[in-house]
């Protein structure tokens, strides 16, 4: 894969439940000669003793991801860790 075929973006992404130190990463890359895949990942590093949180999705049409980015962000902001047992 050439450098020109990979598109990558990384932005800070705060969550009311998981903290200010999240990040959203988008990445588009060729799946084959006819398809372009786009993935979106949300990552949060949580306090010691709790698992880090990662939400990831992908689609074979970058325009679909672009069209639903705002609802994806809204959904990602609702994520919470389950209460400790």
């Amino acid at each position: 894969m050439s450098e020109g075929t990979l598109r990558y973006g990384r932005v800070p992404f705060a969550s009311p439940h998981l903290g200010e130190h999240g990040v959203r990463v988008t990445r588009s890359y060729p799946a084959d000669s006819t398809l372009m895949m786009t993935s979106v990942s949300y990552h949060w590093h949580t306090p010691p003793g709790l698992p880090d949180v990662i939400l990831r999705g992908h689609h074979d049409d970058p325009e679909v991801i672009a069209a639903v980015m705002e609802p994806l962000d809204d959904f990602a902001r609702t994520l919470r860790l389950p209460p400790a047992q």
Side-chain angles (χ1 to χ4, degrees):
M1 169 173 33
S2 72
E3 284 293 316
T5 58
L6 176 65
R7 285 176 278 162
Y8 174 84
R10 180 184 171 111
V11 297
F13 191 85
S15 161
H17 308 294
L18 298 174
E20 299 293 315
H21 302 291
V23 65
R24 181 185 75 204
V25 177
T26 54
R27 190 167 150 281
S28 293
Y29 52 94
D32 59 30
S33 62
T34 60
L35 285 178
M36 191 76 157
M37 294 296 294
T38 297
S39 68
V40 181
S41 300
Y42 301 84
H43 306 251
W44 288 272
H45 292 293
T46 56
L50 294 174
D52 287 349
V53 177
I54 299 174
L55 170 66
R56 186 171 63 185
H58 66 274
H59 202 281
D60 62 2
D61 186 343
E63 291 181 9
V64 169
I65 292 291
V68 300
M69 189 61 75
E70 191 173 329
L72 281 173
D73 284 355
D74 290 345
F75 174 74
R77 288 185 189 101
T78 70
L79 294 177
R80 298 172 186 251
L81 285 171
Q85 298 284 336

